[in-house]
Amino acid sequence: MRASRPSIAITGYGTFNGNGDWWRPLKKSKMAPGQWKKHLKEKGGIVANDIWYPDSASLLAQSYCVDQNVPVITDDSLWQVVKSFLRPVMLHFVGCKNILLEGVTFENSPAWNLHPMCCENLILRDLNVRNPWYSQNGDGVDVESCKNVVISRCSFDVGDDAICMKSGKDKPGRDRGIPTENVVVDDCVVYHGHGGFVCGSEMSGGIKNVEVRNNLYIGTDVGLRFKSTRGRGGVVENIYINGVNMVNIPNEGLLFDLFYGGKGAGEETEEELAARMNAEAPEASEETPAFKNIVIENVKGANIKRAIYFNGLPEMKIQNVTLRNVTMSATEGALFRQTNGLIIDNVNIQAEKGEAFSLAPTVENVKIN
């Protein structure tokens, strides 16, 4: 049978540049002194608390933010005043079918770079997706509530999560109830990024039936990153990862973080994390995220800070994860917390300090081969 032609296609060898350096807030801590000085000279703007804003309206909007980058404003007229703060994603497909993006470069986006949402039958092939490593919210691709997706032979070098699966945030995501499902991520390379392959944190509609194979991550903050927090709800399940190589990872090679607080890996203090972990655990409900039935095999990693970290919720432990044929050299080994159903099969971790494996008392039903 002859394959149908795409309904929407962007192909060729051109470049889409979103001019994002004029839109995004910028943290002084993420630049060398000379870079920071040059940026201020070229861009002007306003600096407050060592963060550069493009104008006073953007700074004003930030003062209304109580949940990361989302300002809470009830006065409609004020939205017009602060509109320069409202950075768009660069390429946003909503409710589309049969999409092909091939051979193109997408770079320097104001916020996320590529954001297909509620789409079906999507192919991303031979793309170059780039943002400066310091770019605020500079994700590569965020696949949100989409079905039947192939991401193949793409290169990512970005300032936030690189290849990310999402499905909406909290109650709006649960009410929409459209999972991201049937996804293949094949033969991709990721350089800078908060995570090479990522699920979450906005996964309230669910993520299922995802295969990641033959990926290479070079210098990403985290290699494989699964993240969520209380209030999200949603289920991440049936994830299969096979054949990932990673090197020069300054945080975890494999991370399950169910106490995600909105910051990049390594940016949060131990005290901030401990405050959430020590809070009284609620009863499991529709607001409780769940991660289960995940197989990760044939993974190699070198020069990693901490090889593996599982940090599930006490009211909803990480469930049924298999690690098979994993070899990592790291400063620290593997630490598992709040997990039920863990298979460790031919996993070799060379840790410079401490134990190669550490299982907290909250880990149940472990099988080590």
Side-chain angles (χ1 to χ4, degrees), residues 3 24 40 49 54 103 105 112 132 143 148 188 204 243 323 343 349 368:
R24 298 183 298 262
L40 298 185
N49 299 319
T105 295
W112 296 349
V143 179
N148 304 336
C188 291
S204 303
L323 305 179
I343 297 175
I349 296 176
I368 300 177

Side-chain angles (χ1 to χ4, degrees), residues 109-169:
S109 57
W112 296 349
N113 211 315
L114 307 178
H115 182 207
M117 184 172 74
C118 299
C119 294
E120 188 172 341
N121 305 336
L122 170 66
I123 296 175
L124 279 63
R125 187 165 56 212
D126 296 323
L127 300 180
N128 293 309
V129 182
R130 307 188 294 223
N131 274 328
W133 73 271
Y134 53 78
S135 57
Q136 190 85 359
N137 313 113
D139 295 34
V141 57
D142 292 280
V143 179
E144 181 174 350
S145 296
C146 293
K147 182 177 182 179
N148 304 336
V149 180
V150 175
I151 303 173
S152 180
R153 302 197 305 263
C154 294
S155 172
F156 297 87
D157 192 347
V158 296
D160 208 309
D161 291 328
I163 307 168
C164 191
M165 305 293 112
K166 298 181 180 289
S167 62
K169 182 178 178 180

Side-chain angles (χ1 to χ4, degrees), residues 317-321 337-342 362-365:
K317 296 184 177 183
I318 301 163
Q319 302 172 58
N320 301 333
V321 177
R337 291 174 169 157
Q338 302 292 358
T339 304
N340 185 4
L342 176 65
T362 54
V363 177
E364 305 175 277
N365 301 316

